Amino acid sequence: MSLWTSLEPASATVDPGSSTRVGLRLRNTGDVVDEYRFEPVGPIAPWTTVEPRTLRLYPGTTGTVELTFAPPRTPDATAGPNPYAVRITPTEHPEAVTVPEGNLTITPFTELRAELVPPTVKGRFRGRPKLAIDNLGNTKLTASVSGSDNGDQLVYDLHPSNVQIEPGRAAFVDATLKPRKIIWFGPKEQRPYRLTVQRSGVQPEPVDGTYIQRGFLPRWLATLFGTLMALALTFALIWFNYKPHVQSLAQEQPVAAGVTSIAPSPSTTPTPPPAPSQTAAAAPAAPSTEAGNDNGGGGGGGGATATVTAKPKQDTAATAVNRLAAADPGGRHICYRAYIQGTGWSKPVCDGTIAGTIGKNTPIKDINVAVYGVDGSAGNSFVYDSQSTNGQGKWMTWTKIVGDGKDNYIGSTKPADPYLETFTVNVGNGQICGYAHVRNVGWGNQACSDARPALLTLGTWDNTLWLEAFKLTV
C-alpha cells in the first residue's frame, strides 16, 4: 500500500441541525506523484462533505482534507453512534482503494406535535375525536394522555392512554367524551376541553378542543309537540261544549172533506250515480320495443325506439381484491390505486406492484385501498398546507375502519383539495409493509407495521415535496 491515513479525531459528536469537522491526514508513501479522490460512504454519507474533493501529493509528502458532518434536525438523524467511512481512490493505482473508518455520535433530541382530528365534535350523548401524536425527534417517544375541562363536565375514555412512538412515526389515541348531564330540551351548549400529552421530565403538551352537546330533543320538535298539544286541548273543549240548535219546521196540513190522502214519504238516502264501466274504454296499447316492429302498420306515428347503453362499472381496488379472493380464498391480499393530479384514477394493482408515477412531478391526491384476509383497513392523509408556518403539511380526518373486500379512500379528488405528502394505513391482523417514492428524494426504505392500533406511515413531512408513487403488501 502506498498511502498512510489518519482521522483526527477518530470519534466525534454533533447535535442535529448543527455541524462538526474532522481532519483526514494522508501521506503518499509511494515513489510516484499521485492524485487521490475522496468519497464519503455509509449511512451518514448524505450529510457528509469533503473539502477538497481531490488532493495531489508528491512522494513522501503529507496532505489534509476536512470532513464536515451536518445531520439535519429530523427523525432520520438517528441518535447514538453512527459509523462512517471515506473511500480514497488513487488515480495512478485505482485498484488500491483505502477506506478509513470513524465514528460520529449524534445527540438525541425530542420533539412532538399533537393535533385533534377534528378539533370540534358534536353529539347528544358522546363525542369521538382522535388525537394524532407525531414523533418529530430522533429517539423513541413515551408519553401518557389525559383529559380535563373546567367544571368537570365531561368523562374521558382514552385508548390507548399510554403510547410509545418510534422516531418519524405517529400514533392515534381514540377519545370518547361523555357529558355528565344530558340536555333533554333547549339549545346546544359548547364544552371546551383539553387533552394533555405528558412526558417524563418535560413540560406537558396541551391540545384544546370543543365538544358541542346537543339537546336530546331539538328545539323545533319541542315547539311542534307544544303546538299539537295546544290544538288537541282546544279541539277537545270545542267538542264537549258544542250543543247544536235544532228547530222543527213541520206544519199541520189541512185535509179536504171526504178525501183520505197519504203523501208518500220522501227518501232519506239519495241514490248514488252509476259507477263508470270498467269496459267503457280500453287503454291505449304500449308501443312495441321488439326489433322489426318499426315497419309494421300504416296508421301509427312511426316513432323510433331509443337505445340506451349502460356505463361500465369502474374497476376499483375492491373489485380487484375480490377477484384475488375468489381465486385464493385462504390468502391475504391488498389492492390499491392512486388518483394522480391532472390524470385521474390509475388502474388498480395488488400485492407490491407500484401505483402512481415516477419522475413526472405529478402528485397523488387520493388513494383507494381494499384488503382481504386482514380484518379490514383504515387510514389518514397528511396533505399540503398553504398556511403552514413550520414547513410541514397537516393531517386530515381519519377514515372509518372498512371491512375486507370493501373500498377505503385516503385523501380527496376534489380539484380545490390539496395533494398528499404522507399517508397512514393499518390492518386488523398480521403485518402491512410498503415503500414510498417522494419527489426529488426517490424511493425510501421499506417500512412495516403490526396490526391495529399500530400504523404504517409512508411519505414526507416536507411541505415543498409530495408523494408520487407507493407499493403495499400484507
Side-chain angles (χ1 to χ4, degrees), residues 5 111 138 190 214 275 304 371 456:
T5 62
E111 182 177 349
N138 63 352
Q190 292 191 3
R214 296 169 173 167
V371 296
L456 172 66

Side-chain angles (χ1 to χ4, degrees), residues 84-103:
Y84 69 89
V86 180
R87 182 186 292 117
I88 305 174
T89 305
T91 303
E92 296 297 329
H93 301 284
E95 73 284 353
V97 175
T98 303
V99 185
E101 298 179 354
N103 186 70

Side-chain angles (χ1 to χ4, degrees), residues 32 51 59 85 113 152 161 222 247 302 339 372 423:
V32 296
E51 290 293 339
R113 178 179 60 194
D152 195 23
S161 58
Q247 181 179 4
Y339 188 89
Y372 178 79
F423 73 96

Side-chain angles (χ1 to χ4, degrees), residues 32 52 110 123 142 152 174 233 248 250 263 289 318-319 390 418 424-425 437 441 443 449:
V32 296
T110 58
T142 301
D152 195 23
D174 295 323
L233 290 174
S248 176
T289 59
T319 58
N390 62 355
T424 60
V425 64
H437 188 282
V441 176
W443 286 106
S449 173

Side-chain angles (χ1 to χ4, degrees), residues 438-451:
V438 176
R439 172 182 179 262
N440 292 342
V441 176
W443 286 106
N445 296 327
Q446 183 186 35
C448 294
S449 173
D450 294 331

Side-chain angles (χ1 to χ4, degrees), residues 362-380:
T362 52
I364 294 175
K365 294 192 63 175
D366 199 356
I367 292 174
N368 173 208
V369 178
V371 296
Y372 178 79
V374 295
D375 291 341
S377 67
N380 194 6

Side-chain angles (χ1 to χ4, degrees), residues 451-465:
R452 196 176 304 117
L455 299 168
L456 172 66
T457 303
L458 297 175
T460 177
W461 308 110
D462 193 329
N463 208 36
T464 64
L465 305 178

Side-chain angles (χ1 to χ4, degrees), residues 225-250:
F225 281 164
T227 303
L228 292 177
M229 184 63 69
L231 291 175
L233 290 174
T234 303
F235 179 77
L237 290 174
I238 294 174
W239 176 264
F240 289 109
N241 290 283
Y242 176 69
K243 295 180 179 180
H245 177 69
V246 180
Q247 181 179 4
S248 176
L249 298 178

